[in-house]
């Protein structure tokens, strides 16, 4: 049985942080795409067409019911097999692209729900007032409703980003060298002798960034809603 | 689609459902009990305990599930061995996964319970005292039922979350649904079939859990006067 050497935790931290840019790349790209996909489904769920509502609702509940790991396996291992049969070759797609696609899809459901409830939380009278002073619906949306909805959504957005950040740790499952993948690589480089210390180091790094993000969210909320709500 | 594979694999994947459910249920029960204790400790601002709980909750919420699982899987045998000298190789991996999942549930549910207890008007507790109930009676009969009704929608989300979280136990060698599907898919490269089966199973479990929690929620909210919409 190995003995626990706390000093190894400190030694592992800089090694794991080498993969920080990769984690950030995955985080930011997935964030962008999930917001776009989420916006599309939020619009569908808010539209007056029944079909669109049903599609959006089905999508959200599907994504909420499937573990991200299964989604990753389904898309990374399953999808190329299906596409191959209809003559599309997916072998040129990079691993990072797969991970970004999976995380974007998985988080987009939460993003869509976030946008929908933020939109609904803005008082109806605001829109009516904007229309009554002669704004077009689009102008009313961008100048009056959206700024208020963003303020309402900030805390949830912060939570979703933290969740997405933690989910990037699943990138190692298909061999992407993000922070978690790096931790595993470092661990196997010394034949697993200090694996516990290395995973603790990885945990501490994730914790530190989550802590910063939480603080950042609170600051953003304060700065943004300053003077807006009484 | 390879239907012979599906026909052969389906019973074996279905047979792994109890492992997933066992992990999720045991972890939920342990996690929620710890969660309630943490919530009470933090609400009553018990010195030292309250601060330790706050750090614990923040840590668990900031660390990805996979890392938590690995740390539990590697740290616990070491700790048990050095504390008691018991040989840990005979302990099945599922117990380490349960420990990690329980800690995760404890942290998240403590926040839910804290908010739910806060949502019950303090006047309720005072009214219960004024009719002669002890604090414990008042909590058990008046405050907890109301808090639980408030907490249920969030607890439902946590439970579905832990069902999804059990899929990660695959990485510490627990043969639950995901691991079984993977094992069966590998020799013939029947990935799409295996993961479609798994997806359907997880979706069904989530759906049923949501239904059950919804029923419980309606039942617990019986006491509320029905408002005219």
């Amino acid at each position: 049985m190995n003995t626990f050497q706390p000093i190894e935790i400190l030694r592992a931290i800089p090694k794991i942080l080498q993969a920080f840019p990769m984690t950030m790349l995955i985080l930011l790209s997935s964030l962008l795409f999930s917001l776009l996909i989420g916006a599309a489904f939020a619009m569908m769920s808010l539209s007056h067409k029944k079909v669109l509502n049903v599609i959006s609702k089905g999508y959200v509940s599907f994504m909420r019911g499937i573990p991200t790991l299964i989604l990753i396996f389904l898309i990374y291992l399953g999808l190329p097999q299906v596409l191959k049969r209809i003559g599309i070759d997916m072998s040129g797609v990079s691993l990072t692209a797969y991970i970004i696609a999976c995380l974007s899809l998985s988080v987009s459901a939460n993003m869509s729900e976030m946008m929908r409830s933020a939109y609904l939380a803005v008082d109806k009278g605001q829109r009516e007032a904007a229309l009554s002073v002669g704004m077009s619906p689009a102008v009313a949306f961008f100048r009056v409703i959206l700024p208020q909805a963003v303020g309402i959504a900030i805390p949830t957005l912060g939570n979703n980003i933290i969740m997405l950040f933690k989910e990037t740790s699943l990138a190692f499952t298909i061999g992407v060298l993000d922070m978690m993948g790096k931790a595993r690589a470092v661990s196997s480089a010394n034949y697993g002798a200090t694996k516990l210390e290395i995973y603790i180091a990885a945990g501490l790094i994730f914790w530190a960034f989550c802590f910063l993000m939480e603080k950042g969210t609170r600051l953003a909320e304060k700065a943004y809603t300053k003077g807006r709500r009484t | 689609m390879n239907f012979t594979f599906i026909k052969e694999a389906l019973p074996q994947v279905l047979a792994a459902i109890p492992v997933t459910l066992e992990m999720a249920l045991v972890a939920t029960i342990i996690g929620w009990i710890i969660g309630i204790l943490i919530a009470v400790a933090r609400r009553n601002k018990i010195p030292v305990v309250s601060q330790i709980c706050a750090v614990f909750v923040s840590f668990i919420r900031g660390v990805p599930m996979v890392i938590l699982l690995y740390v539990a899987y590697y740290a616990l045998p070491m700790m048990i061995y050095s504390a008691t000298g018991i040989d840990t190789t005979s302990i099945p991996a599922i117990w380490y996964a349960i420990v990690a999942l329980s800690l995760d549930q404890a942290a998240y549910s403590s926040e839910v319970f804290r908010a739910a207890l806060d949502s019950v008007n303090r006047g309720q507790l005072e009214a219960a005292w004024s009719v002669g109930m002890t604090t414990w009676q008042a909590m058990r009969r008046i405050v907890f039922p109301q808090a639980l009704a408030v907490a249920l929608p969030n607890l439902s989300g946590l439970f579905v979350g832990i069902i999804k979280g059990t899929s990660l136990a695959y990485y510490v060698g627990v043969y639950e649904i995901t691991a079984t599907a993977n094992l069966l898919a590998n020799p013939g490269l029947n990935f799409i079939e295996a993961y479609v089966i798994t997806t359907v199973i997880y979706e069904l479990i989530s759906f049923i859990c949501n239904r059950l929690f919804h029923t419980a929620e309606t039942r617990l909210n019986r006491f509320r006067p029905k408002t005219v919409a």
Side-chain angles (χ1 to χ4, degrees):
Chain A
M1 189 75 54
N2 297 316
T3 45
F4 183 63
Q5 298 159 301
I7 189 71
E8 292 295 330
I9 297 177
L10 291 177
R11 280 208 197 118
I13 286 178
K15 287 185 200 155
I16 297 171
L17 277 177
Q18 283 169 10
F20 181 67
M22 179 50 109
T23 293
M24 259 345 216
L25 171 73
I26 298 172
L27 174 65
L28 293 176
S29 327
S30 319
L31 179 63
L32 176 70
F33 289 118
S34 67
L35 283 172
L36 291 176
I37 304 170
F41 281 100
M43 272 194 274
M44 282 163 75
S45 74
L46 288 165
S47 89
H48 295 292
K49 292 220 167 61
K50 261 257 151 65
V51 193
L52 294 181
N53 293 348
V54 171
I55 294 175
S56 167
K57 214 175 159 189
Y59 176 79
V60 170
S61 73
F62 177 81
M63 283 302 166
R64 286 197 162 170
I66 184 173
T68 316
L69 185 62
I70 301 294
L71 188 69
I72 291 172
F73 286 157
L74 200 59
I75 291 181
Y76 173 67
L77 296 168
L79 194 64
Q81 287 191 331
V82 177
L83 291 181
K84 210 175 190 176
R85 264 167 238 172
I86 56 169
I88 301 172
D89 185 25
M90 295 266 285
S91 55
V93 181
S94 77
L95 293 174
T96 320
Y98 276 111
I99 272 298
I100 292 172
C102 295
L103 292 182
S104 306
L105 288 174
S106 155
V107 178
S108 67
N110 286 342
M111 292 296 188
S112 151
E113 283 294 280
M114 168 193 90
M115 291 180 198
R116 194 178 77 98
S117 57
Y119 178 86
L120 291 175
V122 178
D123 189 35
K124 262 208 172 94
Q126 296 284 325
R127 187 183 136 87
E128 285 161 11
L131 294 180
S132 77
V133 294
M135 289 187 190
S136 71
V139 174
F141 176 76
F142 283 110
R143 285 215 203 142
V144 179
I145 299 174
L146 190 63
Q148 298 185 60
V150 170
I152 295 167
I154 286 178
T156 322
L157 179 63
N159 272 341
N160 284 344
I161 295 175
I162 289 175
M163 211 179 69
L164 178 60
F165 176 59
K166 286 164 65 181
E167 299 245 294
T168 60
S169 66
L170 292 177
F172 84 90
T173 57
I174 60 170
V176 175
L177 275 183
D178 73 315
M179 290 202 291
M180 184 66 193
K182 186 77 188 171
R184 278 169 65 98
V186 173
S187 164
S188 51
N190 60 12
Y191 305 102
T194 56
K195 52 195 173 202
L196 175 59
E197 291 86 345
I198 288 168
Y199 289 125
I200 290 177
L204 290 174
I205 293 172
F206 271 95
W207 183 26
F209 282 112
C210 285
F211 186 78
L212 289 179
M213 285 181 201
E214 222 167 278
K215 286 271 174 278
T217 308
R218 232 168 272 159
L219 281 181
E221 195 195 353
K222 225 185 215 166
Y224 193 85
T225 53
K226 199 174 169 191
R228 275 181 200 272
R229 265 180 288 170
T230 45
Chain B
M1 282 279 178
N2 181 345
F3 287 103
T4 32
F5 171 79
I6 292 183
K7 223 171 90 187
E8 276 166 21
L10 189 59
Q12 296 187 56
V13 181
L14 286 177
I17 292 180
V19 182
T20 291
L21 290 182
E22 183 194 338
M23 260 193 292
L25 280 175
V26 177
T28 303
I29 294 168
I30 300 173
W32 289 3
I33 292 172
I34 303 174
I36 292 176
L37 294 178
I38 294 176
V40 171
R42 289 189 70 186
R43 254 170 64 82
N44 295 331
K45 302 211 168 58
I46 301 172
V48 187
V49 179
S50 171
Q51 281 82 351
I52 292 174
C53 289
V55 173
F56 167 80
V57 170
S58 152
F59 178 74
I60 301 284
R61 300 213 313 165
V63 176
M65 194 64 224
V66 204
I67 295 183
L68 220 54
L69 277 166
Y70 274 124
V71 170
Y73 186 63
Y74 294 128
L76 285 175
M78 237 184 239
M79 280 157 67
I80 296 172
Y81 183 77
S82 58
T84 59
I86 295 171
D87 179 29
T88 47
T89 43
S90 58
I91 300 177
I94 186 170
W95 288 104
Y96 301 123
I98 287 177
V99 170
L101 291 167
S102 307
L103 293 179
D104 182 74
Q105 283 289 296
Y108 280 95
S109 70
S110 79
E111 295 287 276
V112 172
F113 287 121
R114 205 152 70 103
L117 287 172
D118 280 339
S119 78
V120 179
N121 194 323
R122 201 181 148 75
Q124 297 278 331
L125 183 62
E126 284 162 4
W129 280 334
S130 75
V131 295
M133 289 189 197
T134 62
T135 307
W136 170 243
Q137 280 176 332
M139 289 305 267
R140 200 169 56 83
R141 294 189 197 162
I142 310 293
V143 178
F144 278 144
Q146 295 184 57
L148 198 59
V150 175
L152 260 188
N154 289 323
L155 292 179
S156 150
L158 284 184
F159 188 73
V160 173
I162 204 172
I163 295 268
K164 291 159 73 178
T166 56
S167 66
L168 296 171
Y170 161 52
Y171 284 97
V172 293
V174 180
Y175 274 94
E176 37 67 69
I177 301 174
T178 311
T180 313
N182 243 340
L183 189 74
L184 293 170
N186 266 319
L189 301 178
N190 295 306
F191 295 117
I192 187 73
E193 292 86 355
Y195 295 127
V196 167
I197 296 176
T198 343
T199 306
V200 172
I201 292 175
Y202 277 112
E203 291 289 350
L204 279 178
I205 296 177
S206 306
F207 178 77
I208 294 169
C209 293
N210 278 331
R211 283 278 119 178
L212 289 177
F213 272 97
H214 191 75
T215 317
E217 203 185 317
T218 336
R219 213 185 126 71
L220 276 177
N221 277 311
R222 272 173 315 178
F223 68 91
R224 287 188 206 284
K226 287 192 178 55
T227 45
V228 184

